[in-house]
């Protein structure tokens, strides 16, 4: 309040000083022109120019009228007979002074009106830019609370009035008003239910010092914006600004709700799809290794004394290989179940070196004839991920190379860190992938090769790889390489991204 009084006082002082200065300059020029024998008509034009400048600078017609009277008196005092007296003997001067004052008032009014229109145009341009920026911010919002926070920040920056923003779905309020009276609450309910603006100068609650703007679509009531007025004053520009915000907010909230409903539907469909995949895998791929383990162990039990040590070792190797395959299959099933419910996946900053150490330890216990070349990883390299899923990702991709390459082949794991992204490549030289099968590798129930001597494929490994990479906001692809084999490349961000909050609620 004191700042406002001080501002008004400074503005008044400035207007007085600028009026006195311009009038003084005009009188000085008048005396110079008079000595140069310039006609009186030109001096009046000088006076009109002075009055216009005063009007522009002070933005008030009052100072223009005062200047007209002052300049007329000065002209009479210095230039008319008798000089240095306010007496005028010539009637024509009275007429000229009258026209001068009328012209000055008309020109001054026109200038003030133009100034108001320019100011209004500038305000409208500013409001449009604010609404445009708000629209861009809405695009980065991922839930209703973020949308309401954007609206709150916009209102706090651009209106002087106190306000309350209500989210009916979350029953949450925003803004700098803590509570409303019973009448104000009734007005808010009426505004939202009837889909109409109520309050000051409106058909309903017109005598009150507030305005309520509903935020809703034709079918959904999202909330409202309550504005408490200052001295019952609210310009048309401010009114249209708040109305535009409430309308745009309703559109954005309806879009967000539609997206959420679509995501729920897709998530439900995805879960059903995973369930059906699990059931098909259980009915086929779980039964096969169990049958092999059961029949092999039964044969050993009944014929242990009748078979050679070499045959016994071969049977035990087969049983072991079947159990390893079964273990991998069960891990994939568990991970697939976890992936189907993304909210249960926890991500933390993990050491990439520790992840690769776990992968190496896993394969060190397996029996295969291929050679695996691991990368050297800096101990300080961290990646924001679910460690268990990342380990499973590398195990699945390397296992895929072991299954479908000839004995003695080489499988290489290559890392490259670029722009805070992990670029990984798992390559082999084992013959590559048929071109017509590459596009289907990450689809359900597609087998890489159909060879009788190949280890079985459970149909889940590569599907899970793709899901793990996508959960970590990455991308994976497969291709044939230049050394006569296949390459699987994926990219995963090392740092936590803006979308990780939605996937990390467990």
């Amino acid at each position: 309040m004191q700042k406002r009084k001080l501002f008004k006082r400074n503005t008044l002082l400035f207007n007085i000083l600028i009026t006195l200065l311009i009038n003084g300059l005009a009188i000085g020029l008048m005396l110079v022109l008079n000595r140069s024998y310039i006609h009186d008509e030109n001096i009046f034009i000088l006076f009109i120019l002075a009055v216009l400048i005063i009007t522009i600078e002070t933005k008030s017609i009052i100072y223009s009228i005062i200047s007209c009277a002052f300049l007329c008196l000065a002209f009479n005092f210095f230039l008319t007979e008798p000089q240095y007296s306010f007496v005028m003997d010539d009637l024509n001067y009275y007429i000229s002074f009258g026209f001068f004052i009328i012209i000055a008032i008309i020109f001054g009014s026109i200038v003030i009106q133009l100034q108001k229109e320019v100011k209004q145009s500038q305000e409208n341009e500013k409001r449009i830019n604010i609404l445009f920026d708000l629209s861009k911010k809405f695009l980065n919002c991922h839930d209703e609370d973020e949308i309401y926070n954007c609206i709150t920040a916009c209102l706090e920056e651009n209106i002087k009035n106190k306000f309350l923003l209500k989210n009916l779905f979350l029953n949450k309020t925003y803004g700098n008003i803590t509570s409303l009276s019973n009448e104000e609450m009734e007005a808010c309910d009426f505004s939202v239910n009837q889909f109409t603006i109520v309050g000051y100068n409106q058909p309903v609650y017109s005598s009150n010092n507030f305005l309520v703007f509903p935020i809703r679509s034709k079918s959904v009531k999202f909330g409202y914006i309550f504005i408490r007025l200052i001295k019952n004053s609210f310009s048309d520009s401010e009114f249209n600004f708040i109305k535009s915000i409430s309308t745009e907010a309703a559109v954005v909230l309806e879009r967000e709700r539609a997206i959420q409903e679509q995501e729920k539907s897709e998530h439900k469909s995805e879960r059903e799809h995973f369930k059906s995949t699990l059931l098909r895998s259980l009915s086929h791929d779980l039964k096969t290794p169990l049958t092999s383990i059961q029949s092999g162990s039964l044969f050993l039990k009944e014929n242990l004394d009748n078979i050679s040590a070499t045959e016994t070792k071969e049977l035990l190797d087969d049983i072991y290989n079947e159990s390893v395959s079964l273990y991998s299959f069960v891990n994939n099933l568990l991970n697939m179940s976890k992936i189907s419910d993304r909210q249960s996946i926890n991500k933390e900053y993990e050491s990439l070196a520790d992840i690769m150490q776990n992968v190496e330890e896993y394969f060190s216990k397996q029996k295969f004839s291929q050679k695996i070349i691991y990368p050297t990883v800096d101990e300080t390299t961290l990646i924001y991920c679910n460690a268990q899923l990342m380990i499973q990702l590398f195990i699945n991709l390397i296992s895929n190379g072991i299954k479908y390459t000839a004995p003695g082949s080489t499988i290489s794991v290559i890392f490259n860190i670029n722009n805070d992204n992990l670029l990984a490549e798992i390559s082999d030289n084992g013959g590559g992938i048929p071109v017509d099968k590459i596009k289907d590798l990450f689809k359900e129930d597609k087998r890489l090769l159909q060879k009788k001597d190949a280890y079985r494929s459970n149909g889940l490994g590569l599907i899970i790889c793709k899901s793990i990479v996508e959960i970590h906001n990455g991308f994976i692809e497969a291709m044939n390489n230049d050394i006569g084999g296949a390459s699987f490349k994926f990219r995963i961000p090392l740092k936590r991204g803006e979308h990780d909050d939605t996937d990390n609620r467990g």
Side-chain angles (χ1 to χ4, degrees):
M1 191 69 179
Q2 290 178 348
K3 288 183 178 179
R4 189 176 299 175
K5 287 182 179 179
L6 183 61
F7 175 77
K8 288 183 177 179
R9 192 178 303 163
N10 291 338
T11 302
L12 178 63
L13 182 61
F14 171 80
N15 290 341
I16 293 173
L17 289 175
I18 198 72
T19 302
L20 292 174
L21 177 63
I22 294 173
N23 281 330
L25 290 173
I27 292 170
L29 285 173
M30 173 192 73
L31 295 175
V32 172
L33 294 175
N34 182 61
R35 290 180 181 178
S36 302
Y37 304 102
I38 301 298
H39 291 167
D40 293 344
E41 292 82 357
N42 295 317
I43 293 175
F44 281 119
I45 293 175
L46 170 66
F47 286 173
I48 291 174
L49 178 61
V51 170
L52 287 176
I53 294 174
I54 290 170
T55 305
I56 292 171
E57 293 298 325
T58 62
K59 300 179 178 61
S60 173
I61 196 69
I62 296 174
Y63 294 98
S64 302
I65 295 173
I66 293 172
S67 296
C68 287
F70 183 76
L71 291 172
C72 288
L73 290 174
F75 183 90
N76 178 41
F77 186 80
F78 289 106
L79 302 185
T80 62
E81 295 295 339
Q83 283 186 319
Y84 309 113
S85 169
F86 292 107
V87 178
M88 283 192 297
D89 296 330
D90 192 345
L91 182 63
N92 290 322
Y93 282 120
Y94 286 101
I95 297 173
S96 298
F97 289 155
F99 279 118
F100 165 61
I101 293 173
I102 292 171
I103 292 171
I105 292 174
I106 292 173
F107 278 8
S109 301
I110 293 172
V111 169
I112 290 174
Q113 184 62 33
L114 287 174
Q115 285 180 323
K116 288 181 179 179
E117 291 179 0
V118 169
K119 183 178 179 181
Q120 184 66 44
S121 176
Q122 290 173 342
E123 287 182 356
N124 290 338
E125 183 181 2
K126 180 182 176 183
R127 305 276 190 203
I128 290 171
N129 290 331
I130 292 169
L131 291 172
F132 179 72
D133 291 338
L134 182 62
S135 299
K136 290 195 293 185
K137 291 178 181 177
F138 281 154
L139 295 175
N140 296 321
C141 294
H142 301 102
D143 56 45
E144 290 187 9
D145 191 50
E146 289 186 15
I147 293 172
Y148 279 96
N149 283 327
C150 280
I151 298 171
T152 303
C154 180
L155 293 176
E156 287 176 343
E157 291 176 5
N158 296 289
I159 66 171
K160 299 176 182 178
N161 307 73
K162 290 187 175 182
F163 69 93
L164 183 143
L165 180 61
K166 180 74 173 182
N167 182 337
L168 293 176
F169 283 99
L170 300 179
N171 194 27
K172 185 175 179 181
T173 57
Y174 311 77
N176 44 31
I177 296 177
T178 56
S179 62
L180 301 178
S181 66
N182 291 334
E183 184 182 21
E184 290 171 340
M185 288 295 298
E186 290 175 1
C188 293
D189 292 338
F190 183 89
S191 174
V192 174
N193 292 329
Q194 299 300 320
F195 201 177
T196 184
I197 301 171
V198 302
Y200 179 70
N201 269 351
Q202 302 303 306
V204 185
Y205 294 94
S206 58
S207 60
N208 295 82
N209 67 332
F210 61 76
L211 281 166
V212 184
F213 298 81
I215 302 176
R216 62 165 293 176
S217 63
K218 290 183 179 180
S219 57
V220 184
K221 303 169 186 175
F222 297 105
Y224 54 81
I225 302 174
F226 177 92
I227 306 291
R228 188 161 286 156
L229 305 187
I230 302 172
K231 296 181 180 179
N232 285 359
S233 175
F234 207 65
S235 67
D236 291 341
S237 175
E238 291 173 315
F239 181 90
N240 292 327
F241 177 64
I242 304 299
K243 183 179 178 181
S244 298
I245 289 179
S246 64
T247 302
E248 186 172 357
V251 173
V252 173
L253 288 166
E254 189 168 34
R255 182 202 66 193
E256 182 64 27
R257 188 161 292 271
I259 291 173
Q260 291 177 357
E261 292 297 327
Q262 183 180 0
E263 288 177 350
K264 288 180 181 178
S265 177
E266 290 176 353
H267 186 60
K268 183 178 179 181
S269 176
E270 184 179 327
R271 289 174 64 89
E272 293 299 324
H273 176 72
F274 271 116
K275 287 179 182 178
S276 64
T277 302
L278 289 174
L279 290 174
R280 283 196 294 273
S281 297
L282 286 170
S283 64
H284 178 268
D285 292 317
L286 188 60
K287 182 179 179 180
T288 304
L290 285 174
T291 302
S292 299
I293 292 171
Q294 183 182 27
S295 60
S297 59
L298 180 62
F299 182 82
L300 280 175
K301 179 182 178 182
E302 293 177 349
N303 300 282
L304 185 61
D305 297 331
N306 301 323
I307 59 176
S308 65
T310 302
E311 290 175 322
T312 300
K313 185 177 182 303
E314 289 178 355
L315 281 172
L316 288 174
D317 284 342
D318 289 341
I319 291 173
Y320 175 78
N321 289 333
E322 295 292 351
S323 66
V324 169
S325 178
L326 184 60
Y327 176 79
S328 176
F329 175 73
V330 170
N331 270 343
N332 279 328
L333 286 180
L334 293 174
N335 286 327
M336 196 169 189
S337 177
K338 181 183 290 187
I339 290 169
S340 69
D341 185 7
R342 298 194 176 196
Q343 292 186 2
S344 66
I345 296 174
N346 290 318
K347 298 178 186 176
E348 301 289 344
Y349 279 102
E350 306 285 354
S351 168
L352 187 58
D354 290 345
I355 290 173
M356 292 310 299
Q357 183 179 350
N358 280 275
V359 174
E360 290 185 44
E361 289 177 358
Y362 173 85
F363 285 106
S364 67
K365 300 173 183 178
Q366 312 303 319
K367 293 185 178 180
F368 52 87
S369 60
Q370 288 84 349
K371 178 183 178 182
I372 303 177
I373 301 176
Y374 298 100
T376 301
V377 184
D378 190 337
E379 294 287 342
T380 62
T381 302
L382 300 178
I383 181 170
Y384 188 73
C385 67
N386 180 286
Q388 182 182 353
L389 290 181
M390 285 299 295
I391 292 169
Q392 190 66 48
L393 171 63
F394 285 107
I395 288 175
N396 283 2
L397 291 175
I398 295 173
S399 297
N400 186 78
I402 294 173
K403 290 176 184 178
Y404 298 109
T405 58
S409 300
T410 300
I411 299 169
S412 301
V413 182
I414 304 169
F415 285 168
N416 184 22
I417 307 297
N418 185 19
N419 293 330
D420 291 330
N421 287 287
L422 169 65
L423 306 177
E425 179 178 348
I426 292 86
S427 300
D428 61 62
N429 58 352
I433 309 167
V435 177
D436 61 334
K437 294 183 181 293
I438 292 179
K439 67 180 187 307
D440 295 326
L441 283 180
F442 299 105
K443 295 181 181 179
E444 180 189 344
D445 294 334
K446 296 295 179 179
R447 307 305 173 97
L448 185 61
L449 293 173
Q450 301 293 335
K451 297 196 297 184
K452 294 180 179 179
D453 59 342
Y455 283 26
R456 74 182 58 80
S457 167
N458 54 42
L460 295 177
L462 293 180
I463 301 172
I464 290 178
C465 287
K466 183 173 185 290
S467 297
I468 292 173
V469 172
E470 289 177 347
I471 282 173
H472 290 84
N473 304 316
F475 174 77
I476 188 170
E477 59 182 344
M479 63 194 70
N480 288 319
N481 55 41
D482 296 333
I483 58 174
S487 293
F488 290 84
K489 298 180 180 181
F490 65 84
R491 181 190 70 250
I492 290 178
L494 292 175
K495 296 183 178 180
R496 181 175 183 172
E498 61 180 13
H499 299 294
D500 283 309
D501 289 335
T502 58
D503 292 335
N504 190 21
R505 301 174 186 168

